[in-house]
Amino acid sequence: MAVSDHVDLDGFIAGVRRRNPGQAEFVQAVREVAQDIFEFIADKEQYHRHQILRRIAEPDRVISFRVCWEDDKGEIRVQRGWRVQNSNAIGPYKGGIRFHPSVTESVLKFLAFEQTFKNSLTGLPMGGAKGGANFNPRGKSGHEVMRFCQSFMTELYRHVGADVDVPAGDIGVGGREIGFMFGQYKRITNQFTGVLTGKGLEYGGSLIRTEATGYGAVHFLDNMLELAGQAIPGKRAVVSGSGNVALHAAEKFVELGGTVLTLSDSDGFIHDPAGIDQARIDWVKALKGERRGRIQDYVKEFTGATFHAGGRPWSVPCDVALPCATQNELTGADAKLLVANGCIAVAEGANMPTDLDGVHVFRTAKTIFAPGKAANAGGVSVSGLEMSQNSARIAWKEEDLRKMLIDIMRGIHDRCVEHGAVAGGKYVDYVRGANIAGFKKVADAMLAFGVV
Ligand code: NDP
């Protein structure tokens, strides 16, 4: 009998906690996946014998480095940067870079772990990674951001490459930052390759990459609602966040006939009972562009809207919820409130925005619930398409890419249904479906490689 046969879920998680002291987010992410995988592999001896889950929960490597830069006053600042390369079993490492003061090794390990399953679910050949730094872009000048990005890449360039590891954007890293990092990579290596995605269109970027995560989340929601005999037109959504993912999710939801009632940032949320239409979304896009304005300014511009300092939008009655800001922003109590107020579906645009209690509430209430690893995979999918275009040195048309995104989201949805349908197909547990479908492809590749 294999060693791991003696270990139950709690024993496994206790081991993960012991080996990763103080890394609560990472342990949380592993637990969320492990509970479904333990059930799935109960009768599959080969996965036990090869310690597959234990190996996926141990990153291939964690690179940590110093990032020095000079601010506009000439003072030297020191930050810490990381790249967590979790698994390249099914393709080159792939995952975003996050610049935010809350970034820690634990947060990046959780994100790289999740990314491994997400990328597998897309059906494209991409492994899982994540990187970032505890750098706060808020209040920094363009020159400061440029110097930071250059310094960050001066170390990172050794660890990445078009066939090795292909980073992209995430919180605090948009097109501007990707441009600065790509420029520095090119300068150091003298190579023009597809080493990053989310690039500008002039230098190898793909159309609809910017929109893809938010749009993809709403396409996923659309698929879930359709299966449940529902549809977006006439539905009211609460959206959290006001960054890339939130604003594009809001845009697509409005385009498909729904009404968006809220947006938020780290200061609080705004509630606009009149609905945040495309013109208002455009206004927020301008507000949140390079000057990184505050969402509370919305109420000065649009009468009838209210700002709720320090709050999150989950108390506003709605039909669907789209958490699109950050991890653990929707708790068990929030989930109960949403269910009590009639929310029938949740699609996570952010990574792990719902904590374990919240997920439990939704699963118990049979709320239609899409975890981020499935619902927000549109962004990395179009990144995968950007890699293909770079390799072939071509650029696909926007309408073709839009269709590919819709098809990929449908494929992810159907893979979740395949492994997540319960109660004779009456309810789809998308968390379970995403975990198992994502795991299986990576696990089978690992079995083929033997013990490496
Ligand atoms: P942005 O930086 O564009 O926006 C992040 C938004 O979340 C901002 O409104 C920000 O507010 C808010 N926010 C950040 N931290 C907190 C916090 N601690 N509490 C409350 N609000 C917070 O990032 P993205 O939109 O790109 O990313 C959002 C989420 O989506 C993340 O979880 C990311 O990992 C995930 N994601 C992103 C993808 C992408 O393609 N960009 C792909 C897949 C997932 P403020 O302005 O105050 O900072």
Side-chain angles (χ1 to χ4, degrees), residues 98-100 102 110-111 115 118 130 136 138 168-173 209-210 212-214 240-247 264-268 288 292-295 312 323-327 329 349-353 372 376-380 383:
R98 178 177 292 191
F99 292 162
H100 195 271
S102 64
F110 117 62
L111 288 164
Q115 194 83 42
K118 181 191 306 189
K130 202 81 186 188
N136 189 356
R138 206 200 276 190
D170 192 70
I171 292 179
V173 177
R209 171 60 189 92
T210 311
T213 306
S240 67
S242 49
N244 175 289
V245 179
L247 293 176
S264 71
D265 67 14
S266 33
D267 295 340
K288 287 286 176 181
R292 293 186 175 267
R294 310 313 302 153
I295 198 69
R312 290 176 180 148
C324 297
T326 192
Q327 64 269 9
E329 56 164 330
N351 284 313
M352 208 168 75
N376 72 29
V380 76
S383 276

Side-chain angles (χ1 to χ4, degrees), residues 173-225:
V173 177
R176 175 180 66 160
E177 291 76 15
I178 292 289
F180 292 146
M181 288 191 271
F182 186 78
Q184 185 71 351
Y185 180 86
K186 192 168 64 58
R187 184 177 187 196
I188 296 172
T189 63
N190 200 27
Q191 287 184 0
F192 192 110
T193 64
V195 65
L196 293 165
T197 58
K199 300 188 290 299
L201 294 177
E202 307 77 12
Y203 57 96
S206 175
L207 287 162
I208 78 153
R209 171 60 189 92
T210 311
E211 298 88 343
T213 306
Y215 282 13
V218 174
H219 289 313
F220 197 92
L221 174 72
D222 201 27
N223 286 324
M224 295 196 299
L225 290 176

Side-chain angles (χ1 to χ4, degrees), residues 82-85 95-97 108 111-112 115 128-132 169-170 351:
W82 288 270
R83 187 72 183 163
V84 179
Q85 296 176 331
I97 292 178
L108 295 177
L111 288 164
Q115 194 83 42
K130 202 81 186 188
D170 192 70
N351 284 313

Side-chain angles (χ1 to χ4, degrees), residues 123-144:
L124 300 174
M126 301 181 289
K130 202 81 186 188
N134 58 353
F135 169 74
N136 189 356
R138 206 200 276 190
K140 302 291 188 299
S141 72
H143 283 102
E144 288 177 324

Side-chain angles (χ1 to χ4, degrees), residues 152-339:
F152 185 82
M153 185 50 89
T154 300
E155 172 61 33
L156 188 69
Y157 90 95
R158 300 168 216 283
H159 312 290
V160 296
D163 294 319
V164 179
D165 183 352
V166 184
D170 192 70
I171 292 179
V173 177
R176 175 180 66 160
E177 291 76 15
I178 292 289
F180 292 146
M181 288 191 271
F182 186 78
Q184 185 71 351
Y185 180 86
K186 192 168 64 58
R187 184 177 187 196
I188 296 172
T189 63
N190 200 27
Q191 287 184 0
F192 192 110
T193 64
V195 65
L196 293 165
T197 58
K199 300 188 290 299
L201 294 177
E202 307 77 12
Y203 57 96
S206 175
L207 287 162
I208 78 153
R209 171 60 189 92
T210 311
E211 298 88 343
T213 306
Y215 282 13
V218 174
H219 289 313
F220 197 92
L221 174 72
D222 201 27
N223 286 324
M224 295 196 299
L225 290 176
E226 187 190 316
L227 190 66
Q230 300 271 354
I232 290 179
K235 296 273 185 307
R236 301 157 305 157
V238 291
V239 179
S240 67
S242 49
N244 175 289
V245 179
L247 293 176
H248 290 107
E251 188 166 285
K252 183 54 75 178
F253 193 78
V254 169
E255 187 195 318
L256 295 184
T259 303
V260 171
L261 297 175
T262 66
L263 290 170
S264 71
D265 67 14
S266 33
D267 295 340
F269 78 93
I270 56 108
H271 175 201
D272 187 345
I276 304 169
D277 61 11
Q278 185 61 50
R280 294 176 184 211
I281 293 169
D282 289 341
W283 186 89
V284 181
K285 276 188 189 170
L287 172 81
K288 287 286 176 181
E290 286 191 9
R291 67 193 164 97
R292 293 186 175 267
R294 310 313 302 153
I295 198 69
Q296 66 191 81
D297 289 351
Y298 185 97
V299 301
K300 293 184 207 146
E301 188 72 17
F302 302 107
T303 49
T306 48
F307 175 65
H308 305 262
R312 290 176 180 148
W314 317 125
S315 56
V316 175
C318 64
D319 304 303
V320 303
L322 293 163
C324 297
T326 192
Q327 64 269 9
N328 292 329
E329 56 164 330
L330 201 165
T331 64
D334 297 326
K336 280 187 188 146
L337 201 53
L338 280 165
V339 172

Side-chain angles (χ1 to χ4, degrees), residues 298-417:
Y298 185 97
V299 301
K300 293 184 207 146
E301 188 72 17
F302 302 107
T303 49
T306 48
F307 175 65
H308 305 262
R312 290 176 180 148
W314 317 125
S315 56
V316 175
C318 64
D319 304 303
V320 303
L322 293 163
C324 297
T326 192
Q327 64 269 9
N328 292 329
E329 56 164 330
L330 201 165
T331 64
D334 297 326
K336 280 187 188 146
L337 201 53
L338 280 165
V339 172
N341 282 339
C343 175
I344 59 162
V346 180
E348 293 188 329
N351 284 313
M352 208 168 75
T354 312
D355 72 8
L356 285 172
D357 289 345
V359 175
H360 180 70
V361 171
F362 289 137
R363 287 172 105 173
T364 308
K366 302 270 187 289
T367 305
I368 304 167
F369 175 77
K373 68 171 74 72
N376 72 29
V380 76
S381 300
V382 175
S383 276
L385 301 179
E386 183 173 334
M387 289 166 72
S388 302
Q389 292 170 84
N390 291 169
S391 298
R393 300 212 185 326
I394 52 171
W396 290 325
K397 285 197 229 112
E398 180 168 342
E399 60 192 279
D400 295 339
L401 286 157
R402 280 180 191 269
K403 184 168 178 320
M404 285 183 223
L405 174 64
I406 290 172
D407 288 349
I408 289 171
M409 296 315 295
R410 166 71 71 178
I412 298 170
H413 175 266
D414 293 353
R415 280 187 273 282
C416 291
V417 174

